[in-house]
Amino acid sequence: MSATLPELTESELAGIDAWWRANNYLTVGQIYLMANPLLREPLAPEHIKPRLLGHWGTSPGLAFVYAHVSRLIRHTGQDCLYITGPGHGGPALVGASYLEGTYTDAFPKITQDNEGLLRFFRQFSAPGGIPSHVSVTTPGSIHEGGELGYALIHAFGSVFDNPDLLTIAVVGDGEAETGPLEGSWKGISFLNPAHDGAVLPVLHLNGGKIAAPTVLSRKPREEVRELFEGHGYEVIEVEGHDQPGIHYRFAEALGRAYASITEIQRKARAGEAEPGRPRWPMIVLRTPKGWTGPHIVDGQLVEGTWRAHQVPLSGVKTNAEHLAQLEQWLRSYRPEELFDDDGHPVELVRSANPEKAKSMSGTPYANGGLLSKPLDLPDFRDLAVPVEQRATEKLESTRKLGELMREAYRRNPDNFRLFCPDETNSNRLGAVFEASDRAWMEEVNDTDSKLGPDGRVMEVLSEHNCHGWLEAYNLTGRHGLFATYEAFAMVSASQTIQHGKWLQEAAHLPWRADVPSLNILVSSTAWRNDHNGFSHQGPGLLQVVLNGGPEHSRIYLPPDANCLLSVADHCFRSKNYVNLIVQDKQPQPQWLTMDEAVEHCTRGASIWEWAGTAEDAAEPDIVMACAGDIMTMETVAAAELIKAKLPDIRLRVVNVVDLMTLKRPKDHPHGMSELDFNELFTDNRDVIFAFHGYPGAIHQLVHGRPDADRFRVRGFIEQGTTTTPFDMVVRNRASRYHLVMDVLNNMKVTRRGSGELMRFCQRQLARHEEHIVEHLEDMPEVRDWKLGEGFEKQ
Ligand SMILES: Cc1ncc(C[n+]2csc(CCOP(=O)(O)OP(=O)(O)O)c2C)c(N)n1
C-alpha cells in the first residue's frame, strides 16, 4: 500500500479500460437486452426488451470515475464510499457491483456467468426486478439519487466522525441547479480534518439535463472555477474524451486531490494545521453526456447533448437501422475480450477491482448497520421532573431533551450528533453546549459563543443539510436527532418521505443491516408561534409522516417533559424508523410523574382518570380525547370547567401520545386492538378530539373503527396570524370553550346547567376578543390557568 497514487501505467490502464468497457457494456445490456446477453449470435429483434427504460447519458461518466477510484483504493487501501448524484445512472453502479462480485453475494441468483448475466439484464427496470436508480437494492449505495439534490449533503453526513473514510460524491450539473445542492457546498465549513473523514466532490459537467443544457456547463470556465474557489475549494479541472489521454489526466487529477486530502488530514491530526478551514480539493470533470454511445442518430447529434439522457436508440425492435446501430454500439466494447465462454468477467477486467471488502460496493460503510454501535444513554428517569401536584408549575419540556442529549454527547463522542438549523438554543436544547460546541471551521471571533472546530453540534441554516447529514450519519451506522421549527420541517419534508421509502425497502433486503432510526423533533409549533405569525404556523410534517409506510412511520406527541424523556429514550434506541416527536418549547404544565409517564407512553394512549369524573368508568356521557401538548392543556382545562359547572356529568378524558395506536392493528403495528380501543373510547359515545395537527388526520386514523363518525375533531384549520397564544386556539375553534361547547352539543344526555355553561363559553369567547385587542395579552384566567384552582373568578 502506498500513501499516494502513483502515475498510471500502461498495463494498469489496460485493466481500467477493460473494466470500463465491461461496465458500459453491462449498462447498455441492462437497458436493451432480454436475450443473447453476450452477442454470441447476431442481434435480432427478439433479443430486445419490449420496453426500453433507463438512463444511458450519465452512466459512462459515472463508471469512468468509479474505475479510477477503484484504482486509488487498490494502491492506497483507502476506505471509499461512492455517492452518485445522478442516481438515474443506476445501471453503471449495479454493473460495478456485478463486476466486483458483491452483487452475486447479495443476490445469489445473479451469478457471474451466461445465465446470471441474462437474469441481470432482464431484471433491470422490470416488474419484480430492480429500479433503474442507484437504490436500496444496489450494494454500496447509501444514496438513491432519485430526487436530485442531496449528493453532497449525504457525502458530508457520511464522513462526520468517520476519520478513515473518503466519500467521492459525483454531482450532476443538472443536479447542481437544485437548491439543496447549491447549499451543500458549505459542508466543508463544518468538516474537521482531525476527527472527520473527507469528501471529494466530482462535479460532472456532461453538459445536459433531460432536455436542455445545464447552467454550469455553459458558463465561462473562469466563472465556474471562481464560484467554487469562492466556496473554499481547490478546483482541479479535467476535460476531454480523447483516449487514452483522458485516463492519464484524470488519474493525475485524482492523485493530486488525494494528496491534498491526506496532507490536510496529516497536518490536522499531527496538530500542525493553521487555524481555520483548509482548502479541500474538488474535481470539475468535463466529459460528454452519453460518452462512447451512438454519436449521431437519425441525423441528429446525440453524444455530448441532452439527447443522450435516456435511451438514445428507440424503437429498436421494429427499426432495423437502430437495431444495427445498437449492435455496432454493443460490439464496440468488444465483449468477447471482457467475458469468457461461460460469461465470467476475464482476469483483465477483474484486475481493476479492489479486494471485495474494500470495494465501493462491498464497503461496510455503505451498510452502516454492520458498523453501528448502540447509543450509550443514561437512565432517563434520572432526569425526571418531580410532579407533586399536577399542572401547577410550568416548564419548558424540551430542556429535558437537551439534558438527555448532553449526556448522549458525553457518552458517545463519535457516535451521536444533533442537527439543527440555528435553533438549538431557541428550541431550548442548549444543554448540549455543556458537552460540545457547535461545529465550525471558519473564523471565530469574540462575539461567538460555543463555536469551534472541535464542536459536534451541527447548526447550519439549511433544513436540507441538517436532514440529509443526519440521514447519511444514520445510514453509516450512527445516531442523532434533527430538531427544527415545526412549520419549516416542511422545507425538508420531501427528504423525510424519501428516507422513509429507503428504510421501507431496506427492510426487505436481508443483507442490509439495521440502522439507527431517523429522529425528528419538531418544536416551536404552530400553536405557539403566535408572535411570529402565519408563516411560522403549520403542522404539515405530522401529516406527511402519517402518510408514510406503517413499517417505518412513528409519531409521538408527548404532553409534558417526563413523557418526552420516555419517548426520546425509546426513539434513540430504536432502529429503522422515522420517529417524529412533536412538542413545543414554551413553558407548559407538567401532568405526569415519571412512573405515570413511562406507563402512559408504553401504552401509547390511556384514560386520565384524574382529569375526568370518577364515575366515568361505568358509562361516560361523552369522551374528550387529546393529542399534543397545547391540545392536552385545552382539553384538561375544558374538562375542569365542565366538571365545575355540570356536577352530574360523567366525563372521560383520554390522552394519546403514540398517534399510530389509533390505527387498526392490520393497518399499523402499533394499532391497538378493537377491545382496547373501545375500552378507551367506548363503542358508542361521541368523542370530542382535540388534535395538534389537521383534524382530517384523526378521521384518517380512526377509519374503520366502530362508528367512526362519532369522532368530532378540533385541530389546526389554517387560521393563523400574529396574535396571542390563546387566540391561536380560538381562531382554529379548538379552545377550551369550543371544546366545552362541542361536549354540550354532542352529549348523549343533557345535564343540569348545560344551557348556562353554553352561554358562559360564548361570553368568554366574546370577552377574549375584546380583551386581547385592549390589553395585547390573554385574559388572566386563561394566561395563568392552573389545574385545581377552580373557575370562581370567571
Ligand atoms: C429534484 C428532481 N427534479 C427533477 C428530476 C427529474 N430529472 C431526472 S434526471 C434529470 C436531469 C439530471 O441532470 P444531471 O444532474 O446533469 O445528470 P446527468 O446529466 O449526469 O444525467 C432530471 C431533471 C429529479 N430526478 N429530481
Side-chain angles (χ1 to χ4, degrees):
M1 293 292 155
S2 137
T4 53
L5 186 62
E7 266 183 32
L8 179 63
T9 63
E10 216 172 299
S11 68
E12 270 186 303
L13 177 59
I16 288 184
D17 173 64
W19 191 96
W20 187 45
R21 281 188 285 130
N23 189 289
N24 287 338
Y25 183 86
L26 292 180
T27 292
V28 187
Q30 287 177 82
I31 294 173
Y32 284 98
L33 299 183
M34 60 187 285
N36 191 16
L38 285 172
L39 297 190
R40 299 271 155 80
E41 51 185 300
L43 196 59
E46 62 271 23
H47 303 148
I48 307 296
K49 290 182 177 181
R51 297 166 71 223
L52 299 179
L53 305 161
H55 298 81
W56 160 247
T58 191
S59 298
L62 294 174
F64 175 83
V65 176
Y66 195 102
H68 280 270
V69 179
S70 287
R71 173 172 175 263
L72 174 83
I73 297 170
R74 285 198 318 277
H75 278 287
T76 62
Q78 174 67 50
D79 285 309
C80 288
L81 192 63
Y82 195 75
I83 286 190
T84 313
H88 42 279
L93 275 294
V94 289
S97 171
Y98 183 81
L99 293 176
E100 287 171 340
T102 52
Y103 206 81
T104 308
D105 295 343
F107 303 99
K109 281 192 176 158
I110 309 290
T111 41
Q112 283 184 321
D113 54 21
N114 291 318
E115 246 176 66
L117 188 59
L118 186 56
R119 285 203 199 98
F120 183 64
F121 284 177
R122 288 178 65 99
Q123 67 164 6
F124 173 75
S125 209
I130 60 163
S132 64
H133 283 68
V134 186
S135 189
V136 197
T137 50
T138 310
S141 175
I142 64 158
H143 172 88
E144 153 129 3
E147 183 166 288
L148 297 168
Y150 312 129
L152 263 187
I153 299 178
H154 285 161
F156 282 107
S158 72
V159 301
F160 293 136
D161 297 321
N162 262 338
D164 297 333
L165 181 63
L166 167 61
T167 296
I168 315 293
V170 181
V171 176
D173 43 356
E175 178 184 28
E177 293 174 16
T178 65
L181 198 290
E182 184 70 50
S184 62
W185 296 104
K186 296 185 180 66
I188 50 173
S189 300
F190 304 85
L191 188 76
N192 184 329
H195 61 228
D196 297 324
V199 172
L200 177 60
V202 178
L203 176 65
H204 189 201
L205 299 185
N206 65 14
K209 316 192 269 264
I210 296 180
T214 59
V215 173
L216 289 178
S217 71
R218 295 287 172 94
K219 268 186 187 293
R221 280 161 170 64
E222 326 72 83
E223 269 189 29
V224 174
R225 197 176 51 251
E226 285 164 12
L227 176 66
F228 294 104
E229 283 173 355
H231 275 303
Y233 292 86
E234 171 201 355
V235 179
I236 302 173
E237 292 172 87
V238 186
E239 178 170 7
H241 53 92
D242 53 309
Q243 295 188 50
I246 180 80
H247 281 287
Y248 287 107
R249 294 198 297 284
F250 190 79
E252 192 273 329
L254 186 61
R256 190 140 63 92
Y258 188 64
S260 291
I261 288 168
T262 49
E263 181 58 7
I264 289 169
Q265 291 179 334
R266 188 198 63 73
K267 276 190 178 163
R269 292 171 194 183
E272 293 169 14
E274 301 284 308
R277 174 188 45 72
R279 189 166 279 276
W280 293 93
M282 68 172 286
I283 295 177
V284 175
L285 174 65
R286 291 184 171 86
T287 61
K289 190 154 180 162
W291 187 15
T292 73
H295 189 59
I296 290 181
V297 178
D298 299 331
Q300 276 187 316
L301 185 64
V302 170
E303 190 183 12
T305 78
W306 52 268
R307 288 199 179 87
H309 184 68
Q310 289 182 347
V311 177
L313 292 165
S314 58
V316 181
K317 251 183 181 326
T318 49
N319 183 328
E321 202 181 316
H322 284 194
L323 182 70
Q325 220 176 335
L326 173 62
E327 179 159 8
Q328 194 186 11
W329 177 15
L330 280 162
R331 290 197 189 281
S332 74
Y333 299 119
R334 306 193 298 282
E336 65 285 359
E337 289 177 10
L338 308 172
F339 300 92
D340 65 18
D341 288 348
D342 298 328
H344 195 69
V346 300
E347 172 52 28
L348 183 64
V349 172
R350 285 185 284 123
S351 72
N353 291 333
E355 61 170 288
K356 256 192 207 172
K358 283 277 180 186
S359 72
M360 288 176 282
S361 64
T363 174
Y365 284 102
N367 193 358
L370 296 175
L371 303 172
S372 190
K373 292 178 281 178
L375 193 62
D376 180 5
L377 284 173
D379 186 346
F380 64 93
R381 292 172 187 79
D382 295 345
L383 299 169
V385 174
V387 176
E388 273 149 32
Q389 238 189 322
R390 297 184 203 285
T392 43
E393 298 298 316
K394 286 191 173 177
L395 186 91
E396 296 163 327
S397 299
T398 50
R399 286 206 186 277
K400 285 285 157 185
L401 177 59
E403 290 172 27
L404 184 65
M405 289 194 290
R406 175 191 64 206
E407 300 311 310
Y409 265 103
R410 286 184 176 149
R411 291 166 180 241
N412 309 271
D414 59 354
N415 194 23
F416 178 84
R417 290 202 188 201
L418 167 65
F419 300 82
C420 186
D422 185 31
E423 300 147 2
T424 304
N425 273 332
S426 170
N427 285 324
R428 315 291 193 259
L429 302 172
V432 293
F433 295 128
E434 293 164 31
S436 170
D437 288 347
R438 297 171 176 87
W440 191 254
M441 293 304 296
E442 303 291 348
E443 186 192 312
V444 179
N445 68 34
D446 296 346
T447 61
D448 299 323
S449 153
K450 300 290 176 188
L451 192 69
D454 296 330
R456 284 183 157 98
V457 177
M458 308 307 288
E459 277 203 344
V460 59
L461 210 174
S462 158
E463 285 75 10
H464 289 121
N465 274 323
C466 290
H467 198 295
W469 285 350
L470 176 57
E471 288 169 33
Y473 200 70
N474 285 158
L475 290 180
T476 46
R478 287 80 55 71
H479 308 256
L481 178 99
F482 166 46
T484 182
Y485 283 7
E486 185 179 41
F488 307 136
M490 291 305 282
V491 170
S492 49
S494 195
Q495 291 175 289
T496 313
I497 295 171
Q498 296 292 344
H499 190 72
K501 288 176 196 282
W502 179 283
L503 295 174
Q504 186 171 332
E505 287 292 297
H508 302 134
L509 295 171
W511 54 270
R512 282 243 176 232
D514 292 342
V515 291
S517 298
L518 182 92
N519 301 309
I520 305 176
L521 171 77
V522 291
S523 198
S524 305
T525 61
W527 301 109
R528 282 295 178 269
N529 258 296
D530 39 277
H531 56 298
N532 276 319
F534 206 9
S535 61
H536 286 53
Q537 297 157 357
L541 195 72
L542 203 159
Q543 194 66 43
V544 165
V545 178
L546 188 58
N547 291 340
E551 300 87 345
H552 64 268
S553 301
R554 307 285 182 268
I555 302 175
Y556 300 96
L557 297 126
D560 66 7
N562 286 337
C563 290
L564 174 59
L565 284 169
S566 172
V567 163
D569 179 78
H570 169 77
C571 293
F572 283 139
R573 294 178 195 278
S574 71
K575 300 210 159 165
N576 305 329
Y577 299 148
V578 171
N579 292 312
L580 175 64
I581 306 173
V582 183
Q583 185 150 26
D584 194 57
K585 65 187 186 185
Q586 299 289 353
Q588 47 185 224
Q590 301 297 314
W591 310 104
L592 303 184
T593 65
M594 184 49 94
D595 285 345
E596 289 170 337
V598 171
E599 194 185 336
H600 182 46
C601 294
T602 308
R603 285 172 188 263
S606 43
I607 299 174
W608 281 7
E609 266 134 23
W610 48 267
T613 55
E615 300 78 25
D616 91 302
E619 212 171 311
D621 299 337
I622 196 155
V623 177
M624 297 189 80
C626 46
D629 44 13
I630 301 302
M631 290 299 119
T632 298
M633 181 170 73
E634 290 309 303
T635 299
V636 175
E640 191 181 41
L641 179 56
I642 295 169
K643 288 191 293 182
K645 305 273 183 181
L646 305 182
D648 303 334
I649 186 126
R650 293 167 165 203
L651 182 66
R652 177 180 295 177
V653 173
V654 174
N655 184 265
V656 180
V657 183
D658 175 351
L659 203 57
M660 298 303 193
T661 57
L662 295 177
K663 288 198 175 189
R664 295 175 297 185
K666 66 176 177 182
D667 296 328
H668 196 282
H670 287 196
M672 64 178 111
S673 71
E674 193 163 318
L675 269 181
D676 287 337
F677 188 86
N678 289 349
E679 248 184 64
L680 288 186
F681 297 108
T682 75
D683 41 18
N684 59 5
R685 292 297 190 255
D686 279 14
V687 180
I688 307 301
F689 204 124
F691 178 52
H692 176 89
Y694 296 111
I698 297 298
H699 296 299
Q700 186 179 341
L701 285 158
V702 301
H703 171 78
R705 293 294 191 179
D707 194 9
D709 281 357
R710 66 201 162 94
F711 280 75
R712 326 224 158 251
V713 188
R714 296 287 175 180
F716 190 76
I717 50 172
E718 285 295 335
Q719 294 303 309
T721 185
T722 309
T723 184
T724 65
F726 189 63
D727 194 46
M728 278 301 295
V729 289
V730 171
R731 282 172 176 266
N732 286 282
R733 300 174 190 279
S735 75
R736 58 197 66 183
Y737 302 119
H738 288 94
L739 299 178
V740 172
M741 293 192 293
D742 279 350
V743 165
L744 297 174
N745 285 331
N746 292 285
M747 279 191 310
K748 280 279 179 286
V749 284
T750 305
R751 296 289 184 186
R752 192 161 45 98
S754 295
E756 177 45 34
L757 180 53
M758 179 69 84
R759 285 187 290 281
F760 172 76
C761 290
Q762 287 161 347
R763 282 199 305 276
Q764 283 294 91
L765 287 171
R767 258 191 71 215
H768 159 78
E769 298 288 338
E770 288 167 18
H771 187 94
I772 59 168
V773 176
E774 166 102 22
H775 300 281
L776 308 182
E777 63 175 353
D778 287 323
M779 301 183 295
E781 64 267 36
V782 170
R783 192 193 59 213
D784 304 329
W785 176 82
K786 281 187 183 161
L787 185 64
E789 289 202 342
F791 285 85
E792 291 75 23
K793 58 189 170 204
Q794 296 181 20

